[in-house]
Amino acid sequence: MTLPHDLTVLQQAAAIRTRELSPLELADHYLDRIERLNAQVGAYVTVDAEHVREQARAAEKRVLEAAGPEELPPLHGVPIPIKDLNMVKDVRATLGSRAFSDLVGFVDDSVVTLLRQAGCVLLGKTTTPEFGLPCYTESAVAPPARTPWDLERSAGGSSGGAAAAVASGLAPAAQGSDGGGSIRIPSSVCGLFGIKPTRGRVSQGPVVPDLFGLATNGPIARGVRDAAALLDAMARPMPGDLYMAPPLPAGETFLGYADRPPRRLRIARSAEPAVHGVEVHPDCLAAYEEASALLEELGHEVVELPPVLGADLVPVFETLWGVMATLTPVEPDKEHLLQPLTRWLRERGNAVGASQLFQAHAMLQSALRQAFPVMNEFDAILHPTLAQPPRPLGYFHDQEPEENFARQKAFTPFCAVYNVSGQPAVNVPLHWNADGLPIGVMLAGRLGGEATLISLSAQLEQARPWGDRKPPIWTA
């Protein structure tokens, strides 16, 4: 029997528009699953069931009053959770930190405003590590986020709760954010499709500054079409944004590109980590080689990527990351509540002088000016998403900060390059290893090239469907 959570986002939206499925019925279905199963996967930190039902009742009323389905917004009545780094007005926002355990959202983030306008019912706040700084989701304010493919392993981070929710059938799709891989990492670990958009495609406003342009909001979904539809809802520049992505051609949508096969593409590939001394696990290399072969089978040209951005830029990125850790204001009497890793990163960031910070930013820009002419020769670039399979809970979190950070760099040496460059990048869940764990591959595109990545990913999904793969908790 097909249950509501078996339906895709677009199927749910269609069923609501034709009155085959009630927004309240759908919300209650997810609230029931969250109540029963969230403790196993650690997907949500805050769920206000009555607030969710209030939104769903309003959505249902609008359906009944509409003269026809064309009057309803595209994702009307579909429940979508929000990462706990993002503000939702009048809903608790812990930022993954005990220092903010009593903070209540005082405004909707721009991405939340746009999802509301698309008709989404905001399902709850998904777990995140403190300030979204690590690549795993373990904090002092909520249980750890676990991949439903092995509940002893982390769901990744920092959008770990979002990915755990989608992969467990506790949400049809989710909003996430990505400053160094935080959409792509948990998407790989949880067997999902996730998009880090081009810098400036989705607003960070109105509260969070986008000074360095490393971080952006984006969708996490089971399939390409759902992620594309969610990106269509999110992708609108807002007043005050420092960056703006190249717009789509007039009349085009990202969902439209998901339904359009790509032309023959020239695709570069590299499994050379940007972090010195990192070895890529055989399972990750196997996923990478299989994806390369599949791309060639589909008629694309696949060539080796010349050296572009190397290990010498890692310390420069670390400088920016440490400074970013200081941007969340913490009252002096609450500093002791911060996690050891957060304090360590903030200490490093506070030690950076203004001239050192600007020099670091200038070095990255100089490197990009040399790299873009090479990368722009290709329609897409293929990498392993991660250098290791999903890690056990505590593998990072239980270490001293310096060892913790070193392990994170060895786990995810491919993702942050595209936060530095601002290019779009996606995780494609094509491979599962012998232990039944998902192993993703990453495709990056030219600036503004999400449409090509979406079209190519949809072609891969059609050739090697992954949607029927579901963890045991799915049927619970």
Side-chain angles (χ1 to χ4, degrees):
M1 181 178 68
T2 300
L3 295 172
H5 68 278
D6 293 320
L7 302 175
T8 68
V9 166
L10 292 170
Q11 288 170 340
Q12 290 179 3
I16 287 169
R17 294 164 79 84
T18 58
R19 303 185 184 183
E20 298 170 59
L21 183 62
S22 146
L24 185 57
E25 175 190 358
L26 186 58
D28 279 335
H29 177 79
Y30 279 109
L31 288 171
D32 174 68
R33 284 185 64 80
I34 292 167
E35 183 178 2
R36 290 187 292 109
L37 303 173
N38 185 56
Q40 295 182 45
V41 293
Y44 290 88
V45 59
T46 299
V47 177
D48 183 339
E50 189 47 46
H51 183 237
V52 174
R53 291 190 179 102
E54 181 181 328
Q55 296 174 75
R57 282 191 286 267
E60 191 159 318
K61 183 172 184 288
R62 186 170 176 182
V63 171
L64 295 175
E65 292 176 348
E70 66 282 352
E71 291 189 2
L72 299 172
L75 302 179
H76 188 73
V78 177
I80 299 293
I82 304 298
K83 185 175 176 178
D84 201 31
L85 291 185
N86 293 84
M87 289 279 185
V88 176
K89 194 174 187 303
D90 299 327
V91 176
R92 186 172 71 137
T94 73
L95 314 184
S97 176
R98 288 176 60 206
F100 290 89
S101 57
D102 58 354
L103 177 66
V104 175
F106 49 85
V107 67
D108 276 347
D109 272 2
S110 297
V111 68
V112 173
T113 298
L114 293 172
L115 288 172
R116 287 192 197 274
Q117 290 177 6
C120 297
V121 170
L122 305 183
L123 188 52
K125 300 297 290 293
T126 55
T127 52
T128 185
E130 194 162 63
F131 307 160
L133 294 170
C135 68
Y136 59 91
T137 304
E138 297 171 50
S139 76
V141 298
R146 306 165 185 262
T147 175
W149 297 94
D150 181 346
L151 294 174
E152 298 302 313
R153 296 177 187 261
S154 169
S158 63
S159 306
V166 177
S168 303
L170 306 187
Q175 171 268 340
S177 58
D178 190 317
S182 293
I183 285 174
R184 292 158 288 161
I185 295 163
S187 294
S188 177
V189 167
C190 292
L192 302 169
F193 182 75
I195 304 174
K196 182 203 86 69
T198 295
R199 177 179 294 149
R201 180 73 69 197
V202 182
S203 177
Q204 286 286 93
V207 177
V208 177
D210 50 4
L211 302 178
F212 304 140
L214 296 179
T216 181
N217 294 286
I220 297 175
R222 284 187 285 149
V224 176
R225 297 185 79 251
D226 281 355
L230 211 57
L231 183 58
D232 279 325
M234 295 178 177
R236 189 189 310 169
M238 302 295 276
D241 290 348
L242 289 182
Y243 305 97
M244 186 174 294
L248 286 175
E252 295 285 3
T253 66
F254 292 114
L255 180 57
Y257 281 98
D259 295 327
R260 185 182 310 167
R263 58 179 173 78
R264 185 174 190 262
L265 303 177
R266 188 164 188 254
I267 300 170
R269 70 172 206 156
S270 174
E272 183 65 33
V275 178
H276 181 70
V278 169
E279 292 187 12
V280 182
H281 191 279
D283 289 348
C284 300
L285 289 175
Y288 166 78
E289 294 293 350
E290 287 179 14
S292 300
L294 178 56
L295 288 166
E296 289 186 325
E297 287 175 23
L298 293 170
H300 303 294
E301 179 187 7
V302 179
V303 300
E304 298 299 322
L305 178 69
V308 278
L309 301 171
D312 56 320
L313 293 179
V314 173
V316 185
F317 176 81
E318 290 180 23
T319 297
L320 294 189
W321 200 249
V323 173
M324 283 181 64
T326 70
L327 294 180
T328 304
V330 179
E331 296 293 335
D333 63 345
K334 292 188 175 181
E335 286 274 354
H336 70 283
L337 297 175
L338 299 179
Q339 298 283 290
L341 177 69
T342 306
R343 292 200 301 271
W344 182 76
L345 287 169
R346 286 167 69 91
E347 287 169 5
R348 295 182 71 180
N350 284 322
V352 175
S355 61
Q356 184 183 357
L357 174 60
F358 281 114
Q359 286 170 6
H361 217 165
M363 288 176 65
L364 291 175
Q365 184 180 15
S366 176
L368 289 171
R369 282 174 168 161
Q370 298 175 58
F372 272 128
V374 178
M375 294 191 290
N376 285 342
E377 290 294 317
F378 308 102
D379 298 295
I381 301 173
L382 173 72
H383 303 279
T385 302
L386 299 169
Q388 301 167 12
R391 298 289 83 190
L393 292 171
Y395 175 80
F396 308 105
H397 193 62
D398 293 348
Q399 310 305 313
E400 291 299 316
E402 192 165 356
E403 173 63 18
N404 177 332
F405 198 63
R407 290 188 177 196
Q408 290 188 62
K409 288 192 294 183
F411 180 60
T412 177
F414 297 102
C415 289
V417 165
Y418 296 106
N419 297 89
V420 171
S421 72
Q423 293 165 260
V426 301
N427 176 76
V428 188
L430 289 173
H431 183 81
W432 269 251
N433 70 8
D435 295 324
L437 299 173
I439 309 288
V441 293
M442 180 170 63
L443 287 165
R446 297 190 182 106
L447 286 170
E450 291 96 326
T452 298
L453 294 181
I454 287 169
S455 180
L456 178 58
S457 299
Q459 185 184 45
L460 291 168
E461 183 180 26
Q462 184 176 19
R464 297 284 189 279
W466 58 76
D468 289 339
R469 288 183 178 267
K470 297 183 176 71
I473 199 172
W474 190 269
T475 56

